[in-house]
Amino acid sequence: MNTRNACLLFLIWLISISTLAQERIELRPSKESVSVGLKCGVLEDSEGVFNLQTIQKIPFIRAMSTIPNSGYTTSVVWVKINVLKTGENRWYLEIDNPRLNDVTLYVIHDQKMVYTQKLGDALPFDAYSIPDRSPIFNLPLASNQSYTLYLRAVSTEDLKLPLTFWEEHQLYAHLAGKNLIWGIYFGFILLITLYNFFLWFVTRDSIYGHYCLYVLFFGAFQFCLYGFGYQYIWSNSVFNDRSHIFFLGISGVFLTFFSLAFLDPYKRFPWLKLFMKTAAYVFAVGFTACLFWYNSYINVVFITAAAVMVGIQCYSAIGLAWAGSKMAQLYLLASGTLSVAVLVVGMKNLGWISADNQDYYLMAGSMFEIVLFSLALGYRLRSMQLEKLRQQQMRDEISINLHDDLGASLSSLTMISELNRRKAQKRDPELAEMFGRISERSREAMRLVREAVWEINPYNDASEEWVDRMVTFAQDTFGARQIEFELLIDDNLRNEQFPIDQRRNLFLFFKEAVNNIAKHSGATHAKVHFEKKNGVLKLLISDNGHGFNVTQATEGNGLKNFQKRAEALKANLALQSSPQSGTCIELTFRASAYLN
């Protein structure tokens, strides 16, 4: 008895599905819009063999969600809607999904087709009677008549059908509202892009350049994904179906570089730099390849790949945040908003949850992320300024202490030793010589202290004196050895403001090269050229001395020190020398290298 009742209930449920699928929608003058929702039937044609005559004989299954959603599929999806129109108002049917390639409407009245229209981004945009990125059908329905509408839809992207009937005036108000929201969003994207571009232009810090390009290309991704590229730029070109994947990949590459610069995870995760950069380049090649070969399943592949990349970045951020990194905590807060939005949209595209309002999830998530990342970058910039101020105060204090304490002590030592030298000069020449050496060493120490004070003093960071000190040192050193020299230094270099460590490395490189010529080369002529051209600094130091064999050089030639100084300056070092042919050292680097 129980089995018979269960079978009976199951049959009633099957019949109800078919019956409910035929529920009629009434388009009355009192309504401004009607959402189709569950009041439609759905049929999936996996082989794409059904036509209009065939599907009129096949029972449709009632839609199981308010938006029929087949996810990423190569199947043809049919939708059946029964409509009764009353009143004289003109009605339109909107499918709020600009990613449909081919969607055809058939209007049936009394078993006869009275109207048909084809839309979709496989057609030129000019084929749209209503100039909007989503397919909108003009319905020629007579008053107080019943109709059956069939929709045949195909897409290489997410095949979902958000169906709404709109009264004519309300339709245009609805479209104006949507375009206003998207206009505000893309204006926001451009504003953030320009702001970060100017920050990069002023600071030349690569993190702002990477973030600027990430925001720009992510905005371009949504511009393409939601049909604006099709509407305004390339219409139904082959690029239309693939553009969103391409821009998503490029934005992901710049997000990776931005994340690495923002988190600086190398100490805790030394393997991450090589892995992430390699993965970013591989994905960039893959996304670019999509421009030449593409099908619907590529969306799933790249969504999965992007999820893995984001997961690894979040893993490193969590590890750094757990270790107390404030920047990693801010990164997780910012990226978490978009990650949640992407997860929701992915689940909607795959048909796991209802696809209502899909567009706005990604929009809202990306806006929150961009705002939070901008605040985080502001915090980073403020922290760097405070750290720079702290270092300047420390340098100021050290320079004062060196000048007042150590300088005064050395000056007293020099005076005392010189006085004792004079007293002992007649009575004890050997003691006088010892005091003389002490006096000489203390003077040398005072000179080194003065140089250190000058280099440490933050007020000298913008000084032009660093060039003059190089000139003076070359003149004194070469002059003491009777070496003729040619000195050519570009006046534009006086405007270069080197940080203390880079300025010190450059001066020590120059000092060691000049000393080597004076002490070891046996040269009678030397040349020093220092110029700036197209943002590139080039220091050339050469002599006509006896030279040496570079392949047999030892550390005694100072080559190891030269290489270390060049690496610290992020410069290219070229050294040419051979026996009896002199030596030429060339140091080349970008003026902005030290700023990054």
Side-chain angles (χ1 to χ4, degrees):
M1 188 67 177
N2 291 336
T3 304
R4 286 199 300 272
N5 289 339
C7 291
L8 180 60
L9 290 173
F10 180 70
L11 290 173
I12 293 173
W13 177 75
L14 286 177
I15 295 171
S16 68
I17 290 177
S18 179
T19 303
L20 290 173
Q22 309 306 313
E23 187 175 352
R24 189 168 60 182
I25 294 176
E26 294 187 14
L27 305 178
R28 299 194 298 266
S30 59
K31 294 184 177 181
E32 295 178 336
S33 66
V34 179
S35 177
V36 173
L38 301 174
K39 299 177 181 179
C40 66
V42 179
L43 179 65
E44 184 168 337
D45 177 11
S46 59
E47 301 296 331
V49 295
F50 296 161
N51 54 34
L52 181 61
Q53 289 72 30
T54 306
I55 57 103
Q56 291 185 69
K57 301 174 183 178
I58 302 175
F60 278 64
I61 299 174
R62 180 186 174 182
M64 304 304 294
S65 63
T66 54
I67 296 178
N69 185 3
S70 298
Y72 296 103
T73 180
T74 57
S75 299
V76 176
V77 173
W78 291 82
V79 175
K80 179 181 180 182
I81 311 170
N82 292 326
V83 176
L84 171 63
K85 179 194 172 186
T86 60
E88 299 299 327
N89 292 11
R90 180 180 291 276
W91 288 86
Y92 295 82
L93 176 61
E94 178 195 32
I95 308 177
D96 193 14
N97 181 2
R99 295 171 296 283
L100 297 174
N101 300 130
D102 186 337
V103 56
T104 305
L105 171 69
Y106 301 97
V107 180
I108 307 299
H109 177 63
D110 288 339
Q111 304 299 319
K112 295 180 180 179
M113 185 175 69
V114 296
Y115 179 75
T116 184
Q117 184 181 6
K118 176 183 287 191
L119 296 175
D121 62 18
L123 299 175
F125 184 73
D126 294 342
Y128 281 44
S129 56
I130 304 296
D132 187 71
R133 55 201 173 82
S134 297
I136 301 176
F137 294 96
N138 183 359
L139 302 176
L141 307 180
S143 180
N144 300 317
Q145 297 289 332
S146 294
Y147 297 88
T148 300
L149 276 55
Y150 290 97
L151 285 166
R152 180 186 184 277
V154 179
S155 180
T156 56
E157 298 171 47
D158 51 304
L159 206 167
K160 62 175 69 69
L161 300 167
L163 299 164
T164 306
F165 289 97
W166 292 94
E167 188 273 333
E168 184 173 19
H169 295 92
Q170 191 62 27
L171 171 67
Y172 288 105
H174 160 71
L175 296 180
K178 283 202 310 180
N179 290 331
L180 176 62
I181 293 172
W182 279 107
I184 293 173
Y185 175 73
F186 288 124
F188 171 77
I189 292 290
L190 289 176
L191 179 64
I192 294 295
T193 300
L194 289 174
Y195 172 71
N196 283 280
F197 172 78
F198 287 127
L199 283 178
W200 168 82
F201 186 78
V202 171
T203 66
R204 296 303 171 96
D205 189 338
S206 61
I207 193 171
Y208 297 106
H210 291 149
Y211 184 63
C212 165
L213 293 171
Y214 160 63
V215 172
L216 179 65
F217 283 111
F218 192 79
F221 157 68
Q222 294 190 79
F223 187 83
C224 301
L225 180 66
Y226 294 117
F228 294 99
Y230 168 71
Q231 180 176 354
Y232 293 111
I233 303 178
W234 46 68
S235 189
N236 62 327
S237 75
V238 69
F239 187 61
N240 184 53
D241 268 349
R242 312 167 188 201
S243 57
H244 68 288
I245 290 290
F246 174 75
F247 286 117
L248 176 62
I250 300 301
S251 68
V253 171
F254 286 112
L255 175 61
T256 299
F257 291 131
F258 165 74
S259 299
L260 292 174
F262 188 87
L263 294 172
D264 192 20
Y266 307 130
K267 291 183 179 179
R268 188 174 179 86
F269 304 101
W271 53 270
L272 193 62
K273 181 177 182 179
L274 178 61
F275 175 81
M276 293 300 291
K277 287 191 173 183
T278 302
Y281 289 129
V282 169
F283 284 140
V285 172
F287 288 125
T288 305
C290 288
L291 296 176
F292 306 97
W293 182 82
Y294 175 82
N295 66 37
S296 60
Y297 295 111
I298 287 179
N299 292 278
V300 179
V301 172
F302 283 116
I303 286 175
T304 304
V308 171
M309 288 284 287
V310 171
I312 294 173
Q313 292 176 23
C314 289
Y315 166 76
S316 61
I318 290 171
L320 293 169
W322 188 265
S325 170
K326 185 71 174 178
M327 300 307 295
Q329 294 168 5
L330 293 172
Y331 179 90
L332 286 174
L333 180 63
S335 62
T337 57
L338 182 60
S339 298
V340 171
V342 169
L343 178 63
V344 171
V345 170
M347 294 173 68
K348 287 177 178 290
N349 282 347
L350 295 171
W352 296 349
I353 59 176
S354 174
D356 296 330
N357 300 316
Q358 173 188 319
D359 298 7
Y360 300 114
Y361 280 92
L362 200 56
M363 177 194 294
S366 61
M367 287 186 73
F368 276 115
E369 184 202 48
I370 290 169
V371 168
L372 291 173
F373 265 138
S374 298
L375 293 175
L377 285 172
Y379 172 81
R380 175 181 179 271
L381 183 60
R382 176 60 176 165
S383 299
M384 292 173 64
Q385 289 175 339
L386 291 175
E387 178 63 20
K388 184 177 180 180
L389 179 60
R390 186 187 68 81
Q391 291 179 1
Q392 286 182 338
Q393 291 172 344
M394 184 185 300
R395 288 168 58 191
D396 195 22
E397 184 178 350
I398 292 172
S399 66
I400 291 173
N401 291 338
L402 283 174
H403 182 272
D404 293 347
D405 297 337
L406 185 58
S409 299
L410 289 172
S411 179
S412 298
L413 178 61
T414 302
M415 293 175 62
I416 293 171
S417 59
E418 183 62 24
L419 180 62
N420 283 285
R421 184 189 68 81
R422 290 176 181 177
K423 288 181 179 181
Q425 191 168 11
K426 292 182 179 180
R427 291 177 299 169
D428 191 343
E430 186 176 344
L431 182 61
E433 184 181 355
M434 183 181 298
F435 278 119
R437 288 199 298 269
I438 293 173
S439 177
E440 184 180 347
R441 293 291 178 87
S442 61
R443 285 193 182 94
E444 177 65 17
M446 284 181 63
R447 184 184 66 80
L448 294 175
V449 167
R450 284 196 297 270
E451 287 186 2
V453 169
W454 190 91
E455 290 176 354
I456 292 174
N457 193 332
Y459 299 105
N460 292 326
D461 284 351
S463 174
E464 299 177 359
E465 190 179 340
W466 69 276
V467 176
D468 296 329
R469 292 176 71 238
M470 293 176 68
V471 173
T472 301
F473 180 80
Q475 290 174 338
D476 292 345
T477 305
F478 289 141
R481 298 281 181 164
Q482 287 84 43
I483 298 176
E484 295 182 0
F485 65 94
E486 175 185 331
L487 190 63
L488 179 61
I489 296 183
D490 194 339
D491 288 336
N492 292 328
L493 291 171
R494 298 181 182 275
N495 299 323
E496 292 295 324
Q497 298 180 12
F498 283 82
I500 178 175
D501 54 341
Q502 303 296 340
R503 187 176 61 201
R504 180 175 176 80
N505 281 320
L506 179 60
F507 183 73
L508 290 176
F509 183 97
F510 177 82
K511 184 177 179 180
E512 185 161 1
V514 171
N515 275 330
N516 280 352
I517 293 175
K519 294 179 180 180
H520 307 298
S521 71
T524 59
H525 186 272
K527 180 190 298 183
V528 175
H529 285 185
F530 197 10
E531 63 178 359
K532 177 183 177 183
K533 187 175 182 181
N534 298 325
V536 176
L537 274 66
K538 181 186 292 186
L539 174 62
L540 178 68
I541 304 173
S542 62
D543 64 75
N544 65 346
H546 50 65
F548 61 96
N549 191 329
V550 176
T551 60
Q552 298 177 359
T554 64
E555 292 186 8
N557 298 96
L559 299 185
K560 188 174 182 180
N561 288 338
F562 283 144
Q563 190 62 45
K564 285 183 177 180
R565 303 290 182 198
E567 290 175 359
L569 286 164
K570 301 178 182 178
N572 294 323
L573 174 65
L575 190 148
Q576 295 179 347
S577 182
S578 59
Q580 308 306 319
S581 298
T583 302
C584 178
I585 300 175
E586 183 176 277
L587 188 73
T588 307
F589 60 101
R590 288 202 164 271
S592 60
Y594 54 83
L595 292 176
N596 294 330

